[in-house]
Amino acid sequence: MRIALSCLAFAAALAACTTTPPAPALSPGVDWVANSPGWAEEAEAVYAEAGAYVEAVAAAREPKSWAVILDVDETVLNNVEYQVRLETTGDTYTPESWHAWTAEKSAPPVPGVIDFIEKVNALGGHVALVTNRADSEQLWTEENLFDVGLTRHDDFRVLLTRARPDGPSDKTARFALVPSMLAVQGYPGVEVVAFVGDNEGDKPEDLSGAEFFCIDQGAMYGEPCAAVPGPGR
């Protein structure tokens, strides 16, 4: 009996020693985007402001004569789950893991974006998406957008990615191309009146009278456009 009890005690001690350590805590910005209702409320407020702006634009312009340009990641699609996985496993971003994430096509929409895009189209504007996702990820991106209710033609007319690994991350040339692409589709003379993004690079240096609306992405990526990124502003 003593031997059996000793074996049980040893097994319990061994199990205690081999218990999986708790996952590391998420960084404040990632935790805020992933788990706080405050982030969703803030994103919805930005899109409500942008919606009020395009209402004023539409009242003063002919239908189909204006457009808005949106970034994709952290502006239309929310990729915080990718970042949660990285921080949980102690990994860091790699092009390979990001490529695998985009292939899942499972990113949900940023709160407020669906209503905003619907409003732009209902008011007679065009929606263009300009992203630094790779051209090899474009089809997955369109399928992910479709799954959240956004389709080419009905919701957006242009989706511009970049070539990897050599394509420039600077979006200036692609921003400038949007009116020309709309023109060859049958909508000449379109003016871009607004940009929506989560990074400083999601707008041109010279806005030329357009407005920029910033989605706070908790400083997860790049150079955030929020004055104080993340919670506690």
Side-chain angles (χ1 to χ4, degrees), residues 2-211:
R2 289 181 180 177
I3 293 174
L5 289 173
S6 298
C7 290
L8 287 172
F10 176 76
L14 182 62
C17 292
T18 57
T19 299
T20 303
L26 298 176
S27 60
V30 172
D31 183 59
W32 180 63
V33 175
N35 300 313
S36 172
W39 171 74
E41 291 167 0
E42 202 168 293
E44 288 173 341
V46 171
Y47 273 118
E49 182 184 358
Y53 172 75
V54 296
E55 284 181 354
V57 167
R61 293 176 181 265
E62 291 294 321
K64 305 303 181 184
S65 67
W66 56 277
V68 298
I69 296 178
L70 286 76
D71 175 46
V72 171
D73 295 311
E74 317 334 311
T75 302
V76 177
L77 296 176
N78 176 15
N79 302 286
V80 73
E81 173 60 25
Y82 169 73
Q83 196 64 29
V84 168
R85 293 180 191 178
L86 294 181
E87 295 196 359
T88 301
T89 58
D91 294 323
T92 57
Y93 166 87
T94 65
E96 292 76 19
S97 66
W98 174 256
H99 195 68
W101 163 253
T102 60
E104 291 184 29
K105 301 174 286 188
S106 59
V110 170
V113 69
I114 303 294
D115 288 345
F116 174 71
I117 288 176
E118 288 178 350
K119 175 170 283 191
V120 170
N121 284 290
L123 291 170
H126 302 282
V127 174
L129 307 178
V130 179
T131 175
N132 274 339
R133 287 191 174 202
D135 49 2
S136 60
E137 297 159 353
Q138 179 154 342
L139 179 58
W140 295 334
T141 301
E142 290 210 31
E143 290 174 343
N144 195 159
L145 292 168
F146 179 83
D147 288 343
V148 303
L150 298 172
T151 60
R152 186 184 286 272
H153 172 72
D154 290 330
D155 300 294
F156 62 93
R157 293 198 172 276
V158 174
L159 172 60
L160 288 172
T161 54
R162 68 162 168 154
R164 293 280 184 88
D166 301 318
S169 60
D170 186 339
K171 297 178 178 179
T172 302
R174 281 171 285 158
F175 290 151
L177 189 60
V178 167
S180 298
M181 294 188 70
L182 290 169
V184 298
Q185 290 177 357
Y187 302 100
V190 172
E191 181 180 356
V192 176
V193 299
F195 296 81
V196 187
D198 65 284
N199 268 276
E200 288 295 335
D202 294 333
K203 60 178 174 60
E205 288 189 13
D206 180 9
L207 283 167
S208 299
E211 293 289 329

